Amino acid sequence: MSGLVVIGAQWGDEGKGKITDFLAEGADVVVRYQGGNNAGHTVEVLDKKYKLHLIPSGILYDTKLCVIGNGVVIDPKAFFDELSYLEKEGVKVSEDKLIVSDRAHIIMPYHKLIDRLSEQMRGNKDIGTTGKGIGPCYTDKHERTGIRVCDLLNKETLKEKLEINIAAKNRIIKEVYGGEELNFDEVYKEYVEYGERLRPFVKDTSVVLYDAIKSGKKVLFEGAQGTLLDIDYGTYPYVTSSHPISGGVCVGAGIGPTMITNAIGVCKAYTTRVGKGPFPTELFDEMGDYIREKGFEYGTTTGRARRCGWLDLVILKYAVRISGLTSLAITKLDTLAGIEKIKVCVGYELDGKVIDYFPASLEDLERCKPIYKEFEGWDNSVEGAKTFDDLHENAKKYLRFIEEYTGTRVSIVSVGPNRSQTMVINKF
Ligand code: GDP
Ligand code: IMO
Ligand code: MG
């Protein structure tokens, strides 16, 4: 069986898009299985930079089949805007190259509105969502009132479901949040049109994936967000509403666990986070600013400045366990170049005791003080490294320590944003 999973091992933005694009060369199919256009995956090939949100990062190749699985939530407007963007960038997208699950849930205008209104109502206890309607859409899915891709293709079903939803959501929008009600006719007309445009892309993608894997094709599953944003295993409630961990693949793509062969965890050589919530190794000083500027740590989706901090190995080890990661891809080694002493968190001190696990309670986590091990830094020469041997001796030590602490080999090292600045140092 040949299913390879790419997982974000931190709070997202680890470079999953870049690593997926790199690995896609050796794959036949690339699949998104959760999240939606809250994701922002930047891929650089030669002198061009592509920003992807909903479309799998395999799309830049002509010969790969890209799949949006049932676990993804789809904003049809965002989907078609992204297709237009890709076309403008010279990337051809057709129904032979991109298919969408008939079971995926649709992000409706009321989801986006409620996402924003509920964040406003939370005041300074807001989550800091991307405002794309992700949480409210998954809420409806689990409340069993959602509208799916297959419903968009049937005008009568859509009408029936939308009437019930608009009536209910308008009451919430008006009476709970004091917002402006939506007009049924406008939404219906717009979404009937999206249904017609979406029709050629729609398939039972689970069948396609099963057949592909059975016939020996290589399938790559591209995670969005990261382990610490997982609805169960992340820093709840400061999380997204899906399962970015490898366990999410089976449900979100409709395949069995026996079809997954390996899982690669993508991890920056330091840590970043967008939005609110605890972050034990966060740097509030000039070092944090230095990393942000050197690594250009600004969100692809919302443009927000990312919070920056040292690498947290407690988190990485947690990600290894939760997703059964078989190897790691370490990105942005070049960003740390020039820093004299680099710190790595190897445990937390909680109420006078040393712990090396990630606590469930946010109140406990907020009291955790990171315990650091210090490493000697390296210079900018890492940017040009093509093999492990080319790396600065101190960078090699850093990578070896990550392997030792997590008990997991590093398979890929990334030393720059470009596809060409990627090296395989071990089997993945
Ligand atoms: P994703 O959401 O996990 O796909 O990550 P993003 O694309 O949101 O953020 C990662 C950013 O780092 C992007 O701008 C990438 O182009 C960039 N990037 C990825 N790997 C490297 C690397 O090794 N070095 C540098 N300097 N940038 C990288
Ligand atoms: P990629 O795939 C980083 C964060 C938001 C917020 C929380 C909930 O690029 O790694 P949501 O809109 O999902 O309800 O927001 O999750 N978040 C991300 N942070 N990278 C992402 O995706 C993210 N997707 C959501 O900032 O804190
Ligand atoms: Mg991102």
Side-chain angles (χ1 to χ4, degrees):
M1 291 303 160
S2 204
L4 178 61
V5 181
V6 176
I7 295 287
Q10 299 163 311
W11 274 287
D13 301 327
E14 299 90 347
K16 298 174 293 292
K18 179 195 157 152
I19 299 299
T20 302
D21 165 76
F22 176 77
L23 291 168
E25 196 181 358
D28 300 294
V29 186
V30 184
V31 188
R32 274 283 305 272
Y33 59 91
Q34 47 69 231
N37 61 321
N38 48 347
H41 299 171
T42 306
V43 179
E44 285 191 35
V45 187
L46 300 172
D47 56 353
K48 281 197 98 163
K49 195 190 266 194
Y50 303 90
K51 288 178 188 289
L52 300 161
H53 297 281
L54 191 54
I55 312 288
S57 299
I59 202 75
L60 303 182
Y61 297 87
D62 276 338
T63 52
K64 315 294 171 186
L65 176 67
C66 288
V67 178
I68 298 184
N70 57 279
V72 175
V73 286
I74 300 172
D75 178 338
K77 181 176 185 312
F79 176 84
F80 290 113
D81 284 352
E82 199 164 326
L83 292 194
S84 309
Y85 157 79
L86 284 168
E87 216 155 276
K88 263 193 224 125
E89 295 297 321
V91 180
K92 281 190 224 112
V93 185
S94 64
E95 304 92 80
D96 325 325
K97 215 179 134 182
L98 175 67
I99 58 171
V100 174
S101 168
D102 47 7
R103 288 179 167 82
H105 279 250
I106 299 290
I107 299 179
M108 302 298 292
Y110 43 81
H111 293 137
K112 292 186 261 190
L113 187 55
I114 291 173
D115 193 356
R116 285 180 215 128
L117 292 170
S118 60
E119 280 281 88
Q120 273 168 23
M121 191 173 255
R122 286 186 196 110
N124 65 3
K125 291 240 183 286
D126 65 328
I127 295 163
T129 73
T130 58
K132 304 286 181 192
I134 306 295
C137 184
Y138 279 115
T139 301
D140 280 4
K141 171 176 177 171
H142 289 277
E143 210 197 5
R144 295 155 295 179
T145 54
I147 293 175
R148 298 185 295 163
V149 167
C150 56
D151 301 326
L152 276 199
L153 305 187
N154 181 325
K155 282 185 196 172
E156 285 314 306
T157 312
L158 177 63
K159 189 163 185 242
E160 206 177 294
K161 296 199 170 186
L162 191 62
E163 270 169 355
I164 297 169
N165 268 294
I166 290 253
K169 302 301 178 195
N170 272 346
R171 283 189 66 182
I172 296 171
I173 290 164
K174 194 171 161 215
E175 293 170 27
V176 177
Y177 299 113
E180 205 164 305
E181 289 171 287
L182 294 163
N183 178 288
F184 170 84
D185 293 330
E186 280 171 23
V187 178
Y188 180 61
K189 185 168 173 284
E190 187 184 350
Y191 279 71
V192 164
E193 278 170 27
Y194 289 143
E196 286 315 306
R197 289 174 70 192
L198 208 51
R199 192 181 295 280
F201 297 93
V202 180
K203 286 247 161 49
D204 185 337
T205 51
S206 161
V207 174
V208 175
L209 292 176
Y210 184 80
D211 291 346
I213 293 177
K214 279 284 180 195
S215 66
K217 292 204 168 129
K218 292 198 168 71
V219 180
L220 191 58
F221 297 93
E222 176 183 19
Q225 290 82 50
T227 305
L228 275 304
L229 288 172
D230 183 272
I231 185 86
D232 273 84
Y233 290 99
T235 44
Y236 190 89
Y238 298 98
V239 292
T240 192
S241 301
S242 67
H243 287 296
I245 58 171
S246 65
V249 174
C250 294
V251 187
I255 59 145
T258 47
M259 291 186 158
I260 299 173
T261 323
N262 284 311
I264 300 184
V266 186
C267 175
K268 272 178 192 165
Y270 49 95
T271 312
T272 64
R273 170 161 210 180
V274 200
K276 299 263 187 95
F279 176 178
T281 62
E282 184 166 13
L283 288 162
F284 298 96
D285 56 7
E286 282 160 20
M287 185 59 78
D289 297 339
Y290 177 85
I291 293 174
R292 184 174 309 107
E293 294 315 311
K294 184 131 193 269
F296 196 69
E297 294 296 353
Y298 293 89
T300 313
T301 301
T302 57
R304 288 179 289 179
R306 294 176 184 148
R307 299 155 64 190
C308 297
W310 297 120
L311 178 63
D312 187 337
L313 288 182
V314 176
I315 284 177
L316 188 55
K317 203 169 178 175
Y318 179 75
V320 165
R321 174 163 62 81
I322 299 297
S323 282
L325 300 178
T326 46
S327 77
L328 301 169
I330 305 295
T331 61
K332 299 202 123 174
L333 216 51
D334 55 306
T335 300
L336 295 185
I339 300 174
E340 219 174 296
K341 304 272 184 202
I342 298 168
K343 288 182 184 175
V344 170
C345 172
V346 292
Y348 300 141
E349 192 198 306
L350 175 63
D351 303 334
K353 280 197 200 118
V354 175
I355 60 166
D356 67 352
Y357 62 87
F358 197 74
S361 149
L362 283 206
E363 289 69 33
D364 288 352
L365 187 61
E366 265 153 12
R367 291 200 313 284
C368 281
K369 292 191 186 70
I371 300 166
Y372 288 115
K373 182 176 163 68
E374 209 168 67
F375 286 82
E376 297 294 323
W378 48 86
D379 57 25
N380 281 318
S381 65
V382 290
E383 277 174 39
K386 296 278 175 223
T387 66
F388 184 74
D389 286 342
D390 296 340
L391 290 172
H392 190 286
E393 213 43 52
N394 291 341
K396 287 183 194 166
K397 278 189 195 152
Y398 194 74
L399 294 172
R400 287 202 190 103
F401 185 73
I402 293 173
E403 291 186 320
E404 194 187 306
Y405 185 97
T406 58
T408 309
R409 67 181 178 271
V410 173
S411 53
I412 297 174
V413 177
S414 170
V415 291
N418 209 275
R419 189 190 277 173
S420 62
Q421 291 170 297
T422 324
M423 60 185 100
V424 176
I425 65 166
N426 276 303
K427 223 171 131 263
F428 43 80

